[in-house]
Each structure stands twice: as structure tokens, then as C-alpha cells.
Amino acid sequence: MTDTDAAAPNLSSPAHGLTYDVVVVGGGAAGLSTAASILRRRGGITVAIIEPSGSHFYQPGWTLVGGGVFKQSQTRRSEKRLIPAGADWVQAAATGFEPESNLVHLSNGSSIRYNVLVVATGLTLDWDAIEGLNETLGRNGVTSNYRYDLAPYTWQLVQTLGRGNAIFTQPPMPIKCAGAPQKAMYLACDAWRKRGLADNINVSFHTATPGLFGVKEFVPALMEYIQRYHIDLRLKSNLTKVDGKNRVATFTNVAEDGTKTTTETEFDMLHVVPPQRAPDVIRNSPLAGEGGWVSVDPATLRHTKYENVFALGDVAGTSNAKTAAAVRVQAPVVAVNVLATLDHKPAVADYNGYGACPLTVERGKIVLAEFGYGGKLEPTLPTWLLNGQKPTHLAWMLKEWVMPALYWDGMLKGREIMVAPHKIGTPR
């Protein structure tokens, strides 16, 4: 799909110093969904989306690219094609914020003014935080499903590896889609098992976290697959260095008493998930709170200091899982609260921390983890139809067929299927 596939949206020139009713910083899943939800509710208001990239990526699909299920091209579309009707696309990056003056500064040297600001920049993948990683990514058996260009290499390695050591890593939290590091591993193990190679490949999972998964109810099902695939599970083990030429990974390990040790492990395949942080433009701005994330009320997603600023998605300083499923629920909440703010009214909707992680434990089966703030289980479907604590084929079908369609043709277009914003003060 190319930029010529659709008529161009109304591209504004920020050099004009325009003022918009709503400025959305970020044209990813969170930004587009929120802008579309706002405009579906109230046409005629002025909305600008600040996004430098000409491509938009369905990032949840990269796990399936790395597992040989999706083609790389299925996860990429033209950004221009996805800009909602009625919104202006400002193809630039935000370089600074002046919330006291309602200003966003842009990479082209100009600025844009807003009445209400929605921050949806996403987060930064910190590849440089692991010594030697950048120099060897995409070769020497080092890959990651966290990059569009590398996910096909993951599947190439899975197909060509016949014996040796395969290492999968997970950095300290928070990260986007905390189950993704495991998904890559389970799909690889399933492929090797089906080819009769399970006894030839030693698989280990090094995670910096103290447990396999953050919500205990889903751990038993995952542990069954850890044992089935004979995976060497290493908790509190953080990747700190990669020597691609010699194929050696260095880990810092924390013992129960807090003692730290360093170990080196040879590998034939290394799937890396990088540490992740708030973007510098947010960390160094007045919007930043703890950890550099945008400081917001976890329920209304309104900034804790600036009443006309909201944030959602990966950059929001909330404790929910950073997933597309969370964005799907957050966007309608932010949309109605933005409109209330434009009307000089208090917030009208709240968010319960819902997030979902479809854990692909084998090709054709998924453990669908759905939970809210505090790890409270929040299943969408009744358990008699889909028990999220067990691997099911129905969950796989949702992941492979329903969720991509829901993403492209539902949430990005402001169609709020089963995610109507919850009104503050009413029963859930």
C-alpha cells in the first residue's frame, strides 16, 4: 500500500502558527484512535495530529511475523491513509512543550497552539543501553521482534537453526507488551518441536523480572509450556552486553539476598528485547512525572497539573499494561474527556486499567491474559466461552483474524466496538 492509495488529508502548515481546538502529539495507535473518536463525536472542531513518520505499523503483528504466521507487509500501512477525515496531519516531530502557553514546538522550527493537548508519543526503545547490541542486530544470530525490519530475521533464524543455544531475553519493566518476549520463544520452540529438533536446541529465558508474568493467575498455564519445551528459566537475569562476533551474551544476575553476579553465555540465536523509557522530549518537559512518563490521573488520564492536557498509550504514567488493547479502551475515555474540557466541564469518563496480552504459547493456541489495575482480572468474554487462564484455539483466532481487523477498521477509525467509555460514578 503506497501513499497514492488514498486521497491526501488536509495537510496543515505549522509555520502559519495555527491554533487548534485539539492537538494530538503522535500518530500511532493511541493518537489516531483518539483523534478519530473525537471527530466521530463532534465534527467541525479543529484537530491536528503531529507525526513525523509516513508509515504506520501494527506492532502486535510483529510477533506473528517472527513466528512465520504473518508477512511483514501485513503490519505496515501509509500514515496518510489513516489520518481521520477532518484532521490535519502535521508531518513533523514535537521538540518541546510549553503547557503554560498552550504551545508545542516542532522539528521544523515552528510552533503550534492548542486549546486541549493529547500526548500519545509512545515510548523509546533504548537499544544503546545494552553494550554491543546495535552493532550486531540483524546478523550473527541476534534479532528482535520489537523492530519491523528484524522480525523476518527472527523467523529465518528459527527455520535455519538445527542445534545449539537459543536465548530469549526480557529487560526490566516497564516495557510495551510484557508478554512479547515470551511469545517469540514459545512460537520458536513449537516450530522446533514440530521439526523434531527439540532435543538439539537448548532454550533459555533470561528475564530481569522476579517472576514469569506479572499477574499470578496466568502463570500456571505458562509454566506448563516452560516445562513442555524444557526451557531454562532464569529470573532476575538482565542482558547487559552482546558480543555478536563471538556470539556471547553477558547477564547481570541478582540472587535472593541481592548479591549481583555476572555470567557469560554462548548463543547460536539471541532474541533481544531492549530496555524502554519515555522519549527525551517528554522526560525533559514540564509534562513529565515519575520515571519521565507523562504525569496523569490513572482514571481520567488528565494531567495532574494541566487541566487541558491528557495522555494515553505507552507514554502515560499509569500502571496498566502497555498494549494496543489498553489503548483501545483508553481512547474513548480521553475523547469524551477532551470534549468535556473544551466545553469547560469536568471529566465525564474513567479508565479501569484494562490491558490484554495474547500469549502465543504454540501455533494455534493462546493464553489470553486480560487484566486491569492491580492485576484484577477483566475478561471481555464469559469464561464458559473463553477461559483466559488456559490456552485456547479461539484466542488464537482472535489474535490472527479478529484483532488485526479490529485495529485497522475499528479502533483507528474511532469505531468503539465493546469499548464504550465508562461514565464516572456509574456501576461497571
Side-chain angles (χ1 to χ4, degrees), residues 5 11 37 40 43 71 118 163 171 206 217 302 305 307 348 352 360 377 424:
D5 289 338
L11 302 183
S37 290
R40 273 184 169 267
K71 293 180 180 179
V118 177
R163 62 177 61 252
H206 290 254
E217 285 83 355
R302 168 179 267 154
K305 180 179 180 181
E307 293 191 351
V348 295
N352 67 349
T360 50
L377 301 188
I424 292 174

Side-chain angles (χ1 to χ4, degrees), residues 309-381:
V309 177
F310 294 83
L312 74 160
D314 294 346
V315 76
T318 50
S319 62
N320 60 276
K322 296 182 182 295
T323 67
V327 166
R328 185 166 166 261
V329 177
Q330 291 173 342
V333 171
V334 171
V336 296
N337 286 342
V338 163
L339 292 174
T341 302
L342 286 174
D343 295 336
H344 306 289
K345 296 178 179 178
V348 295
D350 58 4
Y351 168 62
N352 67 349
Y354 175 86
C357 187
L359 293 145
T360 50
V361 290
E362 62 178 287
R363 184 159 182 160
K365 286 189 178 182
I366 277 177
V367 173
L368 182 56
E370 297 179 281
F371 48 93
Y373 286 137
K376 180 184 176 183
L377 301 188
E378 296 283 354
T380 301
L381 300 175

Side-chain angles (χ1 to χ4, degrees), residues 78-338:
S78 164
E79 178 75 14
K80 181 167 64 176
R81 187 179 180 89
L82 300 172
I83 299 294
D88 288 350
W89 176 25
V90 180
Q91 195 170 8
T95 57
F97 298 88
E98 285 188 47
E100 301 287 355
S101 303
N102 295 343
L103 282 173
V104 179
H105 300 298
L106 304 175
S107 56
N108 58 12
S110 63
S111 302
I112 192 167
R113 193 177 298 275
Y114 59 83
N115 292 320
V116 178
L117 176 68
V118 177
V119 183
T121 60
L123 50 69
T124 294
L125 302 176
D126 196 357
W127 302 98
D128 290 323
I130 299 173
E131 183 182 349
L133 177 58
N134 254 328
E135 297 91 314
T136 194
L137 273 170
R139 57 196 180 95
N140 299 320
V142 183
T143 189
S144 179
N145 286 347
Y146 273 67
R147 258 178 44 181
Y148 170 80
D149 60 321
L150 293 178
Y153 185 48
T154 300
W155 182 236
Q156 178 185 330
L157 291 173
V158 171
Q159 289 179 296
T160 57
L161 188 64
R163 62 177 61 252
N165 296 328
I167 302 176
F168 296 81
T169 74
Q170 178 168 332
M173 297 293 285
I175 64 171
K176 62 170 69 185
C177 192
Q182 296 180 56
K183 299 179 193 181
M185 175 176 64
Y186 298 138
L187 286 177
C189 287
D190 184 54
W192 291 325
R193 179 178 61 88
K194 289 175 179 175
R195 287 167 52 204
L197 299 173
D199 293 336
N200 298 346
I201 300 173
N202 303 311
V203 181
S204 58
F205 183 45
H206 290 254
T207 175
T209 61
L212 182 60
F213 195 72
V215 182
K216 67 181 188 308
E217 285 83 355
F218 303 104
V219 173
L222 299 177
M223 282 303 302
E224 287 186 15
Y225 280 90
I226 292 288
Q227 295 161 5
R228 175 185 299 186
Y229 297 135
H230 304 291
I231 296 168
D232 180 13
L233 176 60
R234 302 292 184 92
L235 302 177
K236 298 183 180 180
S237 181
N238 187 34
L239 178 68
T240 55
K241 180 180 178 181
V242 179
D243 181 348
K245 182 179 180 180
N246 295 304
R247 301 203 174 203
V248 174
T250 302
F251 296 91
T252 297
N253 310 288
V254 181
E256 291 301 321
D257 62 1
T259 304
K260 293 184 178 180
T261 58
T262 300
T263 58
E264 294 184 345
T265 305
E266 294 182 352
F267 65 84
D268 296 278
M269 172 183 174
L270 175 64
H271 181 274
V272 179
V273 177
Q276 295 162 38
R277 56 180 173 80
D280 289 339
V281 68
I282 301 298
R283 294 167 61 89
N284 300 324
S285 80
L287 304 178
E290 185 177 354
W293 310 99
V294 180
S295 179
V296 295
D297 178 272
T300 63
L301 302 176
R302 168 179 267 154
H303 197 276
T304 53
K305 180 179 180 181
Y306 305 104
E307 293 191 351
N308 65 335
V309 177
F310 294 83
L312 74 160
D314 294 346
V315 76
T318 50
S319 62
N320 60 276
K322 296 182 182 295
T323 67
V327 166
R328 185 166 166 261
V329 177
Q330 291 173 342
V333 171
V334 171
V336 296
N337 286 342
V338 163

Side-chain angles (χ1 to χ4, degrees), residues 53-88:
S53 177
S55 295
H56 181 96
F57 300 95
Y58 177 55
Q59 296 181 35
W62 292 348
T63 290
L64 297 184
V65 174
V69 181
F70 278 4
K71 293 180 180 179
Q72 186 186 41
S73 59
Q74 289 177 255
T75 67
R76 178 180 180 176
R77 292 190 183 179
S78 164
E79 178 75 14
K80 181 167 64 176
R81 187 179 180 89
L82 300 172
I83 299 294
D88 288 350

